[in-house]
Amino acid sequence: MKLTLIAITLFATAAIFTFCKNSKYTADNLPAEQIRFGKGGGFTGIEKSWTLLENGQIFEKGPDGTLVALDSAKKKTAKALFKTVKTLQLDQVQFTYPGNTYSYLDIPAGDKTNRISWGDNAHPVDAKIQDLFNKLMALVNTGQ
């Protein structure tokens, strides 16, 4: 009886660990906590955007507006990027200076989304925000 109880406990623990580790979102079922980022403007005015989730999943917005799952980032990397967003309080930063071409970060905050956009050379974005953006772009350019 004791052996059966131990076996059931081990099986349940393994099942819970596997379920938690492999929880994935779909484009139709995204969590509220996310970082959206991208680039746009220029001659065509097209905007290219991606969404990073805290579990490392990355989605790209296709030309028709649908989200397509890409290779995931490491969960540890994603958590560090989310921590930077919180540390810099990007949900409260007001910075809107897009140029002909621009980069942006969208930070959902409750029922609103705070957009930080830059590209106007006369108004450079804070170096810490640019560094965060570069790290996010490295995820989609190299599939880290």
Side-chain angles (χ1 to χ4, degrees):
M1 179 69 172
K2 210 181 235 188
L3 187 60
T4 304
L5 190 57
I6 291 172
I8 290 172
T9 303
L10 288 174
F11 176 75
T13 303
I16 290 170
F17 178 75
T18 302
F19 176 74
C20 290
K21 185 174 180 170
N22 294 327
S23 63
K24 297 241 181 202
Y25 294 97
T26 64
D28 297 330
N29 181 29
L30 296 178
E33 192 120 1
Q34 49 186 261
I35 303 170
R36 292 191 297 264
F37 59 100
K39 295 181 172 195
F43 179 72
T44 62
I46 294 175
E47 195 170 271
K48 185 97 168 154
S49 67
W50 297 270
T51 301
L52 174 67
L53 306 181
E54 202 165 16
N55 68 356
Q57 281 184 274
I58 302 171
F59 291 88
E60 181 176 5
K61 191 179 231 180
D64 61 353
T66 60
L67 293 177
V68 178
L70 301 178
D71 289 339
S72 293
K74 293 178 183 173
K75 190 173 184 177
K76 184 177 179 180
T77 301
K79 284 191 176 276
L81 294 169
F82 274 84
K83 183 177 180 182
T84 300
V85 166
K86 286 186 175 131
T87 301
L88 297 175
Q89 298 179 336
L90 296 184
D91 60 332
Q92 299 172 28
V93 171
Q94 299 299 311
F95 193 86
T96 309
Y97 294 99
N100 181 44
T101 59
Y102 59 92
S103 302
Y104 70 90
L105 293 170
D106 281 344
I107 309 299
D111 59 345
K112 296 181 181 179
T113 298
N114 188 40
R115 176 168 275 210
I116 302 164
S117 62
W118 64 97
D120 182 350
N121 291 333
H123 298 91
V125 73
D126 182 278
K128 291 177 183 177
I129 295 174
Q130 184 65 55
D131 183 55
L132 171 65
F133 182 78
N134 293 343
K135 289 176 182 176
L136 289 164
M137 289 303 296
L139 294 177
V140 296
N141 290 331
T142 62
Q144 294 177 3

